[in-house]
């Protein structure tokens, strides 16, 4: 994992209020499917997946989640643009 990835992950965890190492490791496992016990175990490809998914969580914060994937979609579909 690069230093820039590490810094971005730290910032995203801070934005989401994920403060403790235990919470962070749990979040890594939930979002990537990879269990780690040390930050040094996080590889660059997994870190990028984590960053992408954490960014999605930050972006969706504050939006109502109806539980309906059609209603909760973030972008217009081709049918919306007609």
């Amino acid at each position: 994992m690069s230093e820039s990835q590490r810094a971005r992950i730290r910032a995203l965890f801070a934005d989401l209020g994920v403060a403790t190492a235990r919470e962070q490791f749990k979040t890594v496992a939930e979002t990537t499917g990879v269990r780690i016990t040390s930050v040094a175990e996080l590889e660059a490809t997994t870190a990028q997946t984590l960053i992408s998914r954490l960014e999605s969580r930050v972006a969706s914060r504050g939006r109502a989640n109806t539980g309906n994937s059609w209603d909760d979609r973030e972008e217009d579909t081709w049918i919306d643009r007609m």
Side-chain angles (χ1 to χ4, degrees):
M1 169 173 58
S2 70
E3 269 309 309
S4 63
Q5 286 176 314
R6 185 183 305 259
R8 184 67 182 136
I9 291 168
R10 277 192 200 120
L12 289 164
F13 277 148
D15 284 348
L16 293 168
V18 181
T20 68
R22 180 181 302 243
E23 292 173 313
Q24 292 171 353
F25 290 150
K26 181 180 175 190
T27 301
V28 170
E30 289 172 349
T31 58
T32 66
V34 175
R35 293 201 179 281
I36 61 170
T37 57
S38 166
V39 175
E41 295 174 8
L42 195 56
E43 296 178 357
T45 55
T46 305
Q48 194 55 49
T49 300
L50 177 62
I51 290 167
S52 175
R53 293 182 181 163
L54 292 177
E55 287 173 339
S56 292
R57 284 187 181 187
V58 168
S60 67
R61 221 177 11 179
R63 276 197 316 228
N65 184 354
T66 66
N68 180 316
S69 61
W70 180 260
D71 290 336
D72 293 341
R73 68 190 184 284
E74 294 179 17
E75 298 176 2
D76 287 344
T77 64
W78 64 271
I79 204 161
D80 293 320
R81 290 179 281 224
M82 288 182 74

